[in-house]
Amino acid sequence: MLRRILSILLFFNLSAAAEICDAPKTLNGLTLLFTVDEEYGHYSPYPIGVLQTSFSKESFTTRVIQNNYHFIGKYTYHTFGGGLAKFTARQLLGPKVIRFSMTFVCTSNRAGYYIYSQIEGPRLPNVRQNTGSYMIRH
């Protein structure tokens, strides 16, 4: 009986914890600020500080806050529940293409962490990763 009560309490506590935050249902119309955790390094593709990315239905525009540099791209977005989502993009950097994904893990309904994974890029090594934080800007 005690085991059953503990199982029920654990189930309801996990259910309540899962409802604390959720990744955005859609990125359409949102603007996110991204900060990068890592300093510049051979495997750190965006060690440049703060990025501001605005999303429309299928495309995005990113502005590097420090130097006002802009780039654009196309994306898909999927939520997985439990505060997880994945943004997969094809970005144009002049005539060059960068393909990457960002896995979002929320810490609140307006913020969280991400894992950036570059799949293809214009310079070697063209497969890279870094991490950082995101915040939804209103």
Side-chain angles (χ1 to χ4, degrees), residues 68-138:
N68 210 27
Y69 182 73
H70 290 75
F71 49 90
I72 59 171
K74 300 279 186 187
Y75 76 95
T76 59
Y77 181 73
H78 301 283
T79 58
F80 302 106
L84 295 174
K86 188 171 186 178
F87 157 68
T88 303
R90 183 177 185 274
Q91 169 187 308
L92 301 174
L93 186 60
K96 300 176 182 175
V97 173
I98 298 173
R99 290 185 322 119
F100 65 93
S101 67
M102 295 174 86
T103 302
F104 297 133
V105 180
C106 72
T107 56
S108 75
N109 287 336
R110 292 194 42 182
Y113 299 98
Y114 69 86
I115 301 168
Y116 175 98
S117 300
Q118 183 175 299
I119 304 157
E120 175 186 355
R123 61 177 184 224
L124 294 176
N126 62 354
V127 176
R128 311 172 190 207
Q129 285 190 314
N130 63 18
T131 60
S133 301
Y134 74 88
M135 180 181 77
I136 299 173
R137 184 173 186 178
H138 286 284

